[in-house]
Amino acid sequence: MVVCVCNAIRESQLRDVARTGQLRCAKAAYAQLGRKPKCGQCLPFARNIISDATAAA
């Protein structure tokens, strides 16, 4: 599923970054992917995905 349309970031990419890194926020995950949030509408959903992935790891 596409999480961020502006940057074409998929849910699987966010989960991979969250599992491999010590991330606390969505902006840090975007930075690891070489992107920045643009409109910001995806950030709440991205935060949920990251917290779920880090909790499961």
Side-chain angles (χ1 to χ4, degrees):
M1 169 198 297
V2 175
V3 174
C4 178
V5 175
C6 298
N7 288 305
I9 296 175
R10 296 183 173 275
E11 181 177 353
S12 60
Q13 290 174 296
L14 281 177
R15 288 187 185 280
D16 290 342
V17 168
R19 282 187 212 117
T20 59
Q22 298 272 334
L23 302 174
R24 293 286 177 199
C25 68
K27 289 182 183 181
Y30 281 46
Q32 281 211 308
L33 293 169
R35 300 178 181 115
K36 291 187 211 178
K38 292 183 182 177
C39 71
Q41 291 182 338
C42 58
L43 292 177
F45 187 53
R47 283 186 202 109
N48 289 338
I49 292 169
I50 292 166
S51 67
D52 288 347
T54 53

